[in-house]
Amino acid sequence: MAMVVFLMIQLKLGEKAEDISFSMDALGSKGLFTAVLIALICVRVQKFFSDKHFVIKLPANVPPVVYESFLSLSPLFFLVLVFWLIRFVLGVDIDHIVTTAFQPVVRALDTLPGILVYAFLVTMLWSVGINGDNAMDAIVAPIFLQFLAANVEAAAAHQPMPYITGLGFFTIFVNVGGTGATIALALIMLNSKEPGFRKVSRLSLPTQIFQINEPIFFGFPIVLNPIFMIPYILNALILTTGTYLLMSWGVIHKPFVNVPWTTPPIIGHYLVSGGDWKAAVWGAISIVIAMMVYFPFAKAAERQRLRAEAAGTAH
């Protein structure tokens, strides 16, 4: 249903009835916001029709595939009619309106202050036990993907890449070994004097190589723990700033290759930047920087834990 509606509103009518053309631009990054919005609307409309029983029902002996296809007819007819009226009777350019509405957010996320706010919100949400990446993805994922697509087009045309914070900037360059660069914390605590910290670090390190840090995040824990929350958020802000400045100065390449977020650090840095060895070096330096930030807090937590164990009050 979403596909039908999306393709329909990309049609452009000429002065004559037969002068119909199709806007190919919307099939690229320019149509991402419209596509996401229409998909969300279609899901809600179908749910509303199903809940209110405004659907075509068939006898129980009808094959499920046929039965389910008829359930979609009523909401599909409604959606096509509504969007046809908006686009062709009222003459509303839906793509333009949606793009204009998101433009302030799009511009902000490719600036250093904007991406720092995003980094702070993601890590702050994680710090209180909410998956910050998933919570923010509904808003920012289409934007970062649009940036990446624009960078790919520019790279293919041998033109300067326009965006710094394309998809991969945050997931690879900032989330080194997981959100908050927690692989650095695991490396520090591998030989901790406190048995619990040592065990959690050793168990979590293999998963953090693939950017999965829940074991250490909830094992130490970092969530709702003031000692670790501070360096956790601070690392995200430092790595965001450092990466943004290096890319804006042209020291390392901007992201223009889409790689899975589970790609190990350093390798991911190299791949997402199109094989830039300097980006890989920055990935290694990022881990060292994160270790330096975590170190005093980790040792303070270790001392606190050892004192509590000695006093018999550790949990």
Side-chain angles (χ1 to χ4, degrees):
M1 288 190 291
M3 180 71 75
V4 169
V5 173
F6 178 75
L7 294 177
M8 181 188 70
I9 64 173
Q10 304 312 321
L11 296 175
K12 294 183 178 180
L13 302 180
E15 295 181 0
K16 298 180 181 180
E18 62 272 14
D19 294 339
I20 300 177
S21 60
F22 185 83
S23 175
M24 295 298 292
D25 291 342
L27 299 185
S29 59
K30 294 181 180 179
L32 272 174
F33 297 117
T34 306
V36 171
L37 184 61
I38 287 176
L40 293 172
I41 291 172
C42 288
V43 169
R44 300 308 302 177
V45 167
Q46 183 167 24
K47 185 179 186 305
F48 175 80
F49 272 66
S50 297
D51 292 345
K52 300 299 181 181
H53 305 291
F54 297 152
V55 292
I56 300 174
K57 294 186 177 181
L58 298 177
N61 58 350
V62 175
V65 174
V66 177
Y67 179 80
E68 289 173 7
S69 65
F70 271 82
L71 289 177
S72 301
L73 286 180
S74 298
L76 176 60
F77 176 78
F78 173 80
L79 287 163
V80 169
L81 179 61
V82 170
F83 278 97
W84 179 80
L85 289 172
I86 294 172
R87 180 68 185 91
F88 301 113
V89 176
L90 299 179
V92 177
D93 189 339
I94 298 174
D95 281 331
H96 178 71
I97 290 175
V98 173
T99 303
T100 302
F102 280 92
Q103 202 61 40
V105 180
V106 172
R107 290 178 180 174
L109 282 174
D110 197 47
T111 64
L112 182 56
I115 197 65
L116 281 174
V117 170
Y118 169 73
F120 176 78
L121 289 175
V122 169
T123 49
M124 178 56 73
L125 287 171
W126 269 112
S127 297
V128 296
I130 300 171
N131 190 318
D133 295 281
N134 287 349
M136 300 294 292
D137 263 1
I139 301 170
V140 303
I143 298 174
F144 291 153
L145 190 58
Q146 182 182 18
F147 291 168
L148 181 69
N151 283 354
V152 170
E153 292 175 5
H158 302 288
Q159 299 293 325
M161 287 179 278
Y163 297 108
I164 293 176
T165 59
L167 187 66
F169 175 91
F170 201 81
T171 55
I172 300 296
F173 285 93
V174 179
N175 291 353
V176 183
T179 313
T182 49
I183 192 172
L185 182 57
L187 291 171
I188 291 171
M189 291 298 208
L190 275 178
N191 295 309
S192 173
K193 296 177 182 178
E194 204 288 311
F197 286 158
R198 185 170 64 246
K199 183 178 292 185
V200 171
S201 296
R202 293 178 179 182
L203 288 173
S204 68
L205 189 58
T207 66
Q208 290 198 93
I209 293 174
F210 300 98
Q211 310 278 66
I212 299 168
N213 66 346
E214 276 79 1
I216 198 170
F217 186 78
F218 294 103
F220 266 38
I222 293 174
V223 60
L224 298 177
N225 186 340
I227 294 178
F228 288 120
M229 283 171 62
I230 295 171
Y232 179 77
I233 296 172
L234 191 59
N235 265 324
L237 299 179
I238 291 172
L239 295 183
T240 297
T241 303
T243 304
Y244 189 97
L245 293 176
L246 288 173
M247 289 183 179
S248 64
W249 294 336
V251 177
I252 60 177
H253 290 170
K254 300 171 184 176
F256 68 99
V257 178
N258 191 2
V259 300
W261 63 270
T262 51
T263 306
I266 303 175
I267 297 174
H269 290 72
Y270 181 80
L271 294 177
V272 77
S273 59
D276 184 4
W277 65 269
K278 289 176 290 184
V281 172
W282 171 242
I285 294 173
S286 297
I287 296 175
V288 175
I289 292 173
M291 290 178 70
M292 292 171 63
V293 173
Y294 273 120
F295 186 82
F297 295 91
K299 291 305 175 182
E302 183 183 72
R303 289 193 297 270
Q304 184 185 74
R305 182 79 174 179
L306 288 171
R307 284 197 301 268
E309 289 174 352
T313 59
H315 296 289

